[in-house]
Amino acid sequence: MDLYEHQARELFAEHGIVVPRAEITGSPKQAREIARRIGGRVVVKAQVRTGGRGKAGGVKLAADPAAAELTARQILGMNIKGHTVRTVMVAQPVDIAEEFYVSYVLDRTAGRFLAIASAEGGMDIEEVAATRPEAVARIPVDPAEGVTTATAARIADAAGLPPRTVDVLVRLWEVLVREDALLVEVNPLVRTRDGAVVALDGKVTLDDNARFRRARRYDEDDSGHDPLEAAATAKGLNYVKLDGEVGIIGNGAGLVMSTLDVVAGCGARPANFLDIGGGASAQVMADGLSVVLADPSVRSVFVNVFGGITACDAVADGIVRALDTVRLTKPLVVRLDGNNAARGRAVLDGRAHPLVEQVTTMDGAASRAAHLATTP
Amino acid sequence: MAIHLTKESKVLVQGMTGGEGMKHTRRMLAAGTDVVGGVNPRKAGRRVDFDVPQSLNGLGGAPSSVPVFGSVAEGMDATGADVTVVFVPPAFAKYAVVEAADAGIGLAVVITEGIPVHDSVAFLDHARRRSTRVIGPNCPGLITPGQSNAGIIPADIAKPGPVGLVSKSGTLTYQLMYELRDTGFSTCVGIGGDPVVGTTHIDCLAAFQDDPDTELIVLIGEIGGDAEERAAAYIRDHVTKPVVGYIAGFTAPEGRTMGHAGAIVSGSSGTARAKQEALEAAGVRVGATPTETARQVLAVLDV
């Protein structure tokens, strides 16, 4: 999961990285109070988990506490790339002498982390890398060694950063390792006119697989999320809302992705991604169906299951029992194939629900579901 | 021949005595795998009896008593094992793979899903230094039909044959195996959908190219990363056998993870379209659906 800037800022501070004085709030009145406390002139920054806040008008300078209140009022409630601004960070401005870029990112191809650093901070790093690749240093980090002072010095040197940034590079690596992060990025990292090195903005992506050993808990919040996705998350379902009219339920991430594509190839648009995984119990099927059917744009539902480890008769039992608890309001096209497919199909035939029909091939079933969703 | 796994392979199972380990060890035995031992320091010295069902392809059928060893090294000394299949839970998987690599095992197949990426980076690096090949993590393993099955791929789907298959996705592997069940496979390798994996498409392409039993290669990819683009470049330069591809995720929205931790489109990179174009430019036929992909395979094999 991606952290908010203020959460990243807190992690940085805990690991001894200097950050500007700041507080967060969801209220314009409090923004004024905070501005008064930290010296009058402040920066008000929208807290959303997406890039491009500045361009969208989500980061503004306010000259005094009254202006801070007004600015906070403008920014709160803004919609930035589908994310609603619920809180703002009110921060002390920093007297910038130089701006740098530093990050640690996962290099999937090499199977290790990569330090990326540039003396040209404050801009879109991908743009800098595209137009002036020589301005961006990319140094692989040895997994067994990590970032020692010597490695950090090499990174700083390669990017043309001043020696004062070495300590920050080491501490930032500590953040990455201790917090099980997949990305830490500071853009810009600045040198102030009085010589301090300050992390002015921060982006941290945490590894969801490491949640079990992370001491700190982050609430999954729903800003920027569809209410259906929030409902699905609450039920532990792996669901992504899309814009179409064919609801999709399948087993296995690859097969479900493929199912969306095949439906799209039949001239309809998939309404969602939903992977119910290997187990596919009646409860999971019922939960999945209820989330998919709650989507008002869904006009047909396609259940696509290949029984590899899962047996199709167990999946069919799951569907039949789910039909007892969920009122089916739209046609359901089911394709069962693989392990125990014949028995599974017989179970569904036995239930003989008027809105359920079976098609034995994936392409045929996708075409049928697409037809049902697009015919008036 | 086949790649990475044959009937000569002697297989250890780390985490055999757990629920998933028990279930799949039984299935592996039924598929003809020579499972020579389990590893669990707390249960060393015991034996576990498996009532092995006869599989559809005539393998298995005899009950089997599998010894449990205290460590991978002990198991290797006692049995000559050269493959380990890891079912150890995410929190301990790193130590399991490091132990196996330190013992000098040739191949570690890591089935475990949900391993923290920092752990995967660490054990993959460790294994690389000790020349242990890792398949996975978060993968279904590999099967050489009629010979051996290391992992959780259902063994009854397909028979031996001329097609080599490499895939990021488990269920898509099963789907393609089923579509081509009458043609059959040399080896099917599920390399896993995590952001970092030990064995890549390219590693398998190279092995299939050198494998006399493989006449045609099926490559299944999905959105995220650039493994398929790199595979395309490799095919152009090094693979003379026909390759048929399939890519999942054309309808995936940018910036959202689609089930697999590694399946995410970032900006214009990692898209299905870019992968398809790269493969086609390298002379790979790319099917529009799994079924159509299977038809392309049959057309190339002219069966």
Side-chain angles (χ1 to χ4, degrees):
Chain A
M1 72 179 287
D2 293 338
L3 294 187
Y4 287 104
E5 178 194 9
H6 68 88
Q7 294 169 324
R9 177 184 168 278
E10 255 171 64
L11 283 184
F12 292 171
E14 265 173 42
H15 288 269
I17 296 167
V18 180
V19 293
R21 202 174 154 199
E23 290 178 45
I24 58 159
T25 177
S27 126
K29 282 216 158 42
Q30 276 179 21
R32 177 196 280 252
E33 286 310 306
I34 296 167
R36 201 192 320 270
R37 269 203 296 282
I38 64 182
R41 190 161 163 271
V42 291
V43 186
V44 182
K45 303 171 89 176
Q47 297 297 290
V48 280
R49 292 189 286 203
T50 182
R53 289 179 304 172
K55 279 182 198 154
V59 180
K60 282 190 175 137
L61 198 65
D64 55 51
E69 179 177 339
L70 195 69
T71 308
R73 203 177 295 286
Q74 287 165 356
I75 293 177
L76 285 165
M78 257 172 80
N79 188 306
I80 301 178
K81 293 189 190 165
H83 298 251
T84 307
V85 182
R86 302 251 170 92
T87 52
V88 291
M89 186 163 98
V90 181
Q92 205 166 41
V94 169
D95 201 2
I96 299 169
E98 281 184 282
E99 295 185 281
F100 317 116
Y101 172 94
V102 296
S103 70
Y104 295 111
V105 303
L106 183 64
D107 179 347
R108 295 171 55 150
T109 307
R112 50 177 62 184
F113 284 89
L114 192 64
I116 302 181
S118 174
E120 301 189 9
M123 340 215 287
D124 181 348
I125 192 67
E126 286 182 22
E127 236 173 83
V128 178
T131 52
R132 306 206 328 102
E134 71 282 1
V136 180
R138 304 160 66 91
I139 311 276
V141 178
D142 185 315
E145 229 174 60
V147 174
T148 59
T149 307
T151 328
R154 227 170 49 240
I155 297 165
D157 188 51
L161 308 187
R164 286 195 157 194
T165 58
V166 168
D167 178 58
V168 175
L169 284 164
V170 173
R171 290 174 191 273
L172 209 56
W173 178 260
E174 280 173 23
V175 173
L176 182 89
V177 174
R178 298 262 177 81
E179 309 297 334
D180 266 301
L182 299 178
L183 165 78
V184 294
E185 180 184 70
V186 183
N187 189 23
L189 178 71
V190 306
R191 185 175 64 77
T192 63
R193 294 209 188 277
D194 51 12
V197 177
V198 181
L200 218 54
D201 197 349
K203 187 175 174 199
V204 172
T205 304
L206 298 178
D207 180 1
D208 294 338
N209 284 355
R211 206 175 276 145
F212 69 87
R213 65 183 180 197
R214 194 173 288 128
R216 190 194 301 255
R217 297 275 162 233
Y218 293 96
D219 289 336
E220 293 280 351
D221 74 355
D222 59 354
S223 69
H225 277 287
D226 184 274
L228 284 168
E229 289 190 354
T233 304
K235 290 178 172 164
L237 293 172
N238 201 341
Y239 173 93
V240 178
K241 171 86 177 84
L242 302 169
D243 290 331
E245 54 282 331
V246 181
I248 309 280
I249 301 175
N251 67 329
L255 185 63
V256 178
M257 264 190 275
S258 168
T259 307
L260 307 185
D261 293 349
V262 176
V263 165
C266 294
R269 292 172 311 163
N272 65 276
F273 170 100
L274 174 53
D275 172 14
I276 53 168
S281 68
Q283 188 57 50
V284 173
M285 186 58 81
D287 287 347
L289 270 177
S290 65
V291 168
V292 170
L293 290 169
D295 178 350
S297 45
V298 163
R299 301 194 57 207
S300 71
V301 181
F302 177 16
V303 176
N304 186 23
V305 170
F306 185 83
I309 301 158
T310 319
C312 287
D313 50 344
V315 175
D317 281 338
I319 296 172
V320 167
R321 273 181 285 148
L323 290 174
D324 293 337
T325 54
V326 180
R327 201 172 70 84
L328 196 59
T329 48
K330 287 141 192 174
L332 188 70
V333 180
V334 182
R335 173 262 185 172
L336 297 174
D337 218 335
N339 195 355
N340 287 358
R343 249 183 285 172
R345 291 172 193 157
V347 168
L348 279 186
D349 283 341
R351 177 66 174 76
H353 191 290
L355 282 172
V356 178
E357 58 181 286
Q358 300 196 66
V359 181
T360 53
T361 65
M362 175 166 161
D363 291 5
S367 156
R368 180 67 186 146
H371 176 78
L372 287 168
T374 50
T375 322
Chain B
M1 260 285 291
I3 71 167
H4 303 316
L5 186 76
T6 68
K7 62 178 184 301
E8 317 301 334
S9 303
K10 292 183 188 302
V11 177
L12 287 175
V13 181
Q14 288 172 270
M16 183 181 79
T17 50
E20 286 294 291
M22 289 292 285
K23 172 171 138 192
H24 290 291
T25 300
R26 184 166 172 270
R27 286 168 172 265
M28 284 191 267
L29 287 164
T33 311
D34 188 8
V35 179
V36 294
V39 179
N40 182 339
R42 288 184 310 280
K43 296 187 177 168
R46 296 191 206 170
R47 299 187 77 87
V48 179
D49 293 326
F50 290 93
D51 141 44
V52 179
Q54 174 109 39
S55 73
L56 293 184
N57 46 23
L59 298 164
S64 190
S65 171
V66 179
V68 181
F69 298 100
S71 69
V72 174
E74 227 175 83
M76 286 174 70
D77 281 347
T79 65
D82 53 1
V83 176
T84 178
V85 183
V86 180
F87 287 100
V88 173
F92 311 104
K94 174 172 127 182
Y95 307 102
V97 181
V98 165
E99 182 200 328
D102 283 342
I105 201 123
L107 174 65
V109 182
V110 186
I111 308 301
T112 311
E113 179 178 359
I115 300 174
V117 171
H118 279 270
D119 286 6
S120 295
V121 167
F123 73 64
L124 289 173
D125 179 64
H126 191 86
R128 206 175 294 127
R129 289 169 203 262
R130 281 157 185 76
S131 304
T132 293
R133 169 175 295 285
V134 176
I135 294 179
N138 186 16
C139 79
L142 72 166
I143 181 168
T144 296
Q147 297 192 38
S148 191
N149 187 15
I152 63 174
I153 297 176
D156 284 342
I157 303 179
K159 61 175 194 176
V163 179
L165 183 148
V166 53
S167 168
K168 277 183 183 173
S169 150
T171 39
L172 274 179
T173 300
Y174 311 160
Q175 176 70 34
L176 256 301
M177 286 174 73
Y178 183 71
E179 302 266 6
L180 293 166
R181 60 193 178 280
D182 297 327
T183 308
F185 293 84
S186 53
T187 302
C188 301
V189 188
I191 59 174
D194 267 10
V196 294
V197 292
T199 293
T200 63
H201 284 112
I202 292 177
D203 297 328
C204 294
L205 287 167
F208 281 131
Q209 171 68 23
D210 289 342
D211 171 31
D213 289 348
T214 302
E215 287 173 34
L216 177 149
I217 304 163
V218 172
L219 182 149
I220 304 174
E222 63 188 31
I223 53 166
D226 66 349
E228 293 81 1
E229 285 87 338
R230 297 164 62 83
Y234 185 86
I235 291 167
R236 194 185 54 223
D237 297 339
H238 301 285
V239 179
T240 56
K241 293 180 181 177
V243 182
V244 175
Y246 177 72
I247 302 289
F250 282 87
T251 39
E254 186 196 328
R256 301 299 307 272
T257 300
M258 303 297 270
H260 285 155
I264 181 167
V265 173
S266 325
S268 60
S269 80
T271 66
R273 181 74 52 208
K275 291 171 188 300
Q276 179 185 10
E277 283 168 6
L279 286 168
E280 284 178 345
V284 176
R285 303 178 183 212
V286 180
T289 71
T291 308
E292 212 240 318
T293 307
R295 273 202 292 271
Q296 304 244 21
V297 170
L298 297 179
V300 174
L301 289 174
D302 197 20
V303 289

